[in-house]
Amino acid sequence: MPNRVCVEVCVESVEHARAAERGRADRIELCTDLSSGGITPSFGFMHTVRRHVQIPIYALIRPHSRDFCYSDHEFEIMHDDIVAARESGMNGIVLGILCRDARIDIARTRTLVDLAHPLPVTFHRAFDESANAESALEEVIQTGASRILTSAGKSAATDGLPTLARLIQAAQNRIVIMPCGGINDGNALRIIQETSAREIHTSLGGSNSSTHWGARPAGDGGSSDKLTSGEFATVLEHRVNKLVGVIRDIYRSDPVR
């Protein structure tokens, strides 16, 4: 039975992308330096992941992690990186541009959305920097983006459920609202039920560190108390599989949902 709710998993390595796919993720967001919020993956990285993963891959286009405002040269880099992503076989683009007053930069974003076409564009958590979520929603819709990644300005989706529900209701069929922020198998059911979200985004612990992804279980005889990237791949596959299982169980118990 296919997922009725799309599960997107953010990863920063080939082995983690493959683990997410084995865990039955529907889509991958690909980036590097995930612990800083992510920056653009290299051309070679995109190519390599595309060779090893069959599910859709969206590439993050973000030249630096300082903020979401970009110089003319940085905007030019974003343009070229979108071209590279298309040539690498990516299925979608993830980006976000703000003006200095934290409003959505409609004109520049629309230019990049047009460049990415026919690939869909996700407007990422730059959205959460806006002072008014409802106004920002209408501004992003004007850019032609296909979806918005948001935790409603909170660190975790569970802290912004009322706002997420309002955004999804206001968006109607004009754009997809994809909740993010600390989503896992323990809270996904609540988030989906309280917001009516049709897509969710998570890193399932992958954003904790660029070199370590949590503690190894006590007594396993390892030389370090931290997981290596390879060990985390095994953990990630299990976490994704468990999350997808929870979502599928929703529809087994309520097939008309």
Side-chain angles (χ1 to χ4, degrees):
M1 179 180 180
N3 288 355
R4 301 287 187 88
V5 172
C6 174
V7 176
E8 179 181 272
V9 179
C10 188
V11 301
E12 61 176 352
S13 77
V14 178
E15 59 190 343
H16 295 176
R18 295 183 67 193
E21 182 175 50
R22 290 193 303 270
R24 300 182 293 169
D26 297 291
R27 186 172 65 228
I28 286 169
E29 181 191 327
L30 190 67
C31 69
T32 57
D33 196 15
L34 182 53
S35 63
S36 73
I39 57 175
T40 307
S42 71
F43 185 65
F45 183 25
M46 289 187 282
H47 259 295
T48 302
V49 175
R50 180 71 285 166
R51 284 197 298 269
H52 291 279
V53 171
Q54 301 303 310
I55 61 176
I57 305 170
Y58 282 28
L60 176 65
I61 305 298
R62 188 183 181 203
H64 63 71
S65 60
R66 296 187 300 275
D67 54 30
F68 303 109
C69 301
Y70 304 108
S71 69
D72 289 344
H73 288 155
E74 289 164 344
F75 185 69
E76 186 177 350
I77 290 170
M78 296 175 78
H79 180 287
D80 290 345
D81 283 339
I82 289 173
V83 173
R86 292 180 58 180
E87 293 177 352
S88 299
M90 299 293 98
N91 303 97
I93 300 298
V94 182
L95 56 82
I97 306 178
L98 301 180
C99 301
R100 289 296 173 185
D101 62 0
R103 293 180 65 88
I104 306 300
D105 190 329
I106 298 172
R108 285 174 126 197
T109 302
R110 185 163 48 209
T111 296
L112 296 185
V113 170
D114 290 344
L115 173 65
H117 184 79
L119 302 186
V121 171
T122 299
F123 194 97
H124 59 46
R125 291 181 77 175
F127 178 87
D128 290 337
E129 300 291 318
S130 300
N132 186 293
E134 285 75 12
S135 296
L137 168 64
E138 298 303 323
E139 291 169 352
V140 175
I141 288 172
Q142 292 179 53
T143 70
S146 300
R147 64 179 47 78
I148 297 171
L149 178 68
T150 177
S151 59
K154 307 295 184 180
S155 59
T158 50
D159 295 327
L161 292 179
T163 301
L164 287 169
R166 288 199 305 272
L167 287 171
I168 289 171
Q169 177 64 31
Q172 298 177 359
N173 294 321
R174 298 179 296 162
I175 195 168
V176 174
I177 304 297
M178 182 166 59
C180 64
I183 298 178
N184 55 48
D185 64 282
N187 58 28
L189 177 59
R190 178 188 173 199
I191 292 166
I192 293 167
Q193 289 180 331
E194 294 192 21
T195 68
S196 298
R198 312 311 299 178
E199 301 188 6
I200 58 173
H201 170 102
T202 181
S203 66
L204 289 169
S207 61
N208 290 342
S209 169
S210 61
T211 56
H212 294 299
W213 292 269
R216 181 182 288 110
D220 75 343
S223 60
S224 169
D225 63 349
K226 297 294 185 179
L227 295 174
T228 65
S229 177
E231 290 169 333
F232 180 71
T234 301
V235 172
L236 179 63
E237 178 181 348
H238 172 75
R239 290 176 179 173
V240 174
N241 190 58
K242 194 172 180 180
L243 172 59
V244 172
V246 166
I247 292 172
R248 292 188 177 183
D249 284 344
I250 297 173
Y251 297 99
R252 290 192 187 100
S253 60
D254 185 7
V256 298
R257 182 182 177 85

